[in-house]
């Protein structure tokens, strides 16, 4: 059974972490490869306009596999600092490089606990919608390790330095409403409505021109570290492309004619 399932309905792909017996914990290099392979499949498919990432109940993702850590098995096999460094580089660190860098917008539908690497996985997505059962914890310190998959870079950019520091230094969990209050998630919905809420948000995204969506996401990504002058230059270049597309002309015509647009990606 694959660690992740891939379902596509129209222009929306839903990825589901599918190891509920271990609360969708990431324990092997194969688990990581399954996520990366799904991201590569999305990148090759121009029909995809939005992606939803969720977990098979009862958890979103419990983070790393503690038994594998204890027993030095799976992704944690080997002895010594050099071997462990390569375990991270070739294992779980491949996920942020693939998921965070996806060109299409992504939504984490957090259906339950998102702990440690599970929280960081949600933070790799552009948007987060939470079930009322969701729990979030940057809990690496509780098991005597540091965030190894980019959490120290991702979390402060979402909730700010002070909240990220408190979460990282204490390991204390936030419930869904607390997560919303600090900006970690944008919506909290009844558990049974979670996927529908994520799909509704994805549909609102996916109705827009696919090329413009991808360029807008790239600008948001680059804006996190580029200077204003550099981002303005990139924006001008992207605008030059956007203005020459059929989708731009269709959008303007539809707005003037007061009708729904039909975008083709051209």
């Amino acid at each position: 059974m694959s660690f992740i399932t891939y379902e596509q309905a129209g222009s929306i792909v839903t990825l589901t972490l599918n190891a509920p017996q271990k609360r969708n914990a990431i324990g092997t290099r194969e688990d990581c490869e399954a996520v990366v392979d799904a991201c590569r499949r999305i990148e090759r498919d121009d029909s995809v306009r939005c992606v939803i990432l969720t977990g098979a109940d009862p958890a979103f993702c419990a983070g790393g596999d503690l038994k594998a850590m204890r027993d030095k098995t799976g992704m944690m096999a080997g002895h010594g600092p050099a071997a462990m460094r390569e375990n991270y580089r070739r294992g779980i660190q491949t996920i942020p490089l693939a998921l965070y860098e996806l060109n299409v917008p992504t939504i984490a539908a957090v259906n339950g606990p998102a702990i440690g690497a599970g929280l960081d996985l949600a933070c790799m997505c552009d948007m987060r919608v939470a079930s009322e059962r969701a729990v979030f914890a940057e809990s690496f310190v509780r098991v005597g390790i540091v965030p190894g998959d980019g959490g120290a870079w991702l979390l402060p950019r979402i909730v700010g330095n002070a909240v990220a520091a408190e979460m990282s230094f204490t390991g204390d969990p936030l419930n869904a409403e607390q997560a919303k209050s600090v900006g970690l998630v944008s919506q909290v919905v009844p558990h049974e409505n979670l996927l529908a809420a994520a799909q509704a948000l994805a549909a609102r995204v996916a109705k827009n021109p696919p090329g413009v969506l991808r360029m807008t996401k790239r600008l948001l990504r680059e804006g996190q570290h580029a200077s204003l002058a550099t981002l303005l230059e990139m924006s001008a270049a992207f605008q030059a492309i956007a203005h020459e597309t059929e989708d731009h002309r269709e959008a303007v015509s539809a707005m003037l004619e007061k009708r729904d647009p039909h975008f083709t990606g051209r």
Side-chain angles (χ1 to χ4, degrees), residues 59-105:
F60 176 74
C61 177
D65 189 325
L66 292 180
K67 291 182 180 178
M69 291 183 195
R70 180 194 64 192
D71 301 335
K72 300 292 184 182
T73 60
M75 197 165 53
M76 298 292 130
H79 297 279
M84 191 59 66
R85 177 174 179 261
E86 289 306 311
N87 285 340
Y88 275 86
R89 293 180 68 247
R90 298 173 183 174
I92 199 164
Q93 288 184 352
T94 62
I95 294 178
L97 294 174
L99 179 58
Y100 183 80
E101 291 298 332
L102 271 179
N103 281 325
V104 295

Side-chain angles (χ1 to χ4, degrees), residues 169-183:
F169 295 155
T170 66
D172 291 345
L174 301 180
N175 62 33
E177 289 296 339
Q178 290 170 322
K180 184 179 179 184
S181 73
V182 299

Side-chain angles (χ1 to χ4, degrees), residues 51-65:
V51 175
I52 297 169
L53 175 66
T54 192
D57 283 340
F60 176 74
C61 177
D65 189 325

Side-chain angles (χ1 to χ4, degrees), residues 28 33 35 40 53 62 64 77-78 82-83 101 124 137 140 169 186 191 203 227 233 246 253:
T28 67
E33 290 171 353
V35 178
R40 289 174 177 163
L53 175 66
E101 291 298 332
M124 294 169 204
F140 297 92
F169 295 155
S186 59
H191 185 74
S227 69
E233 287 292 339
E246 292 180 16
S253 296

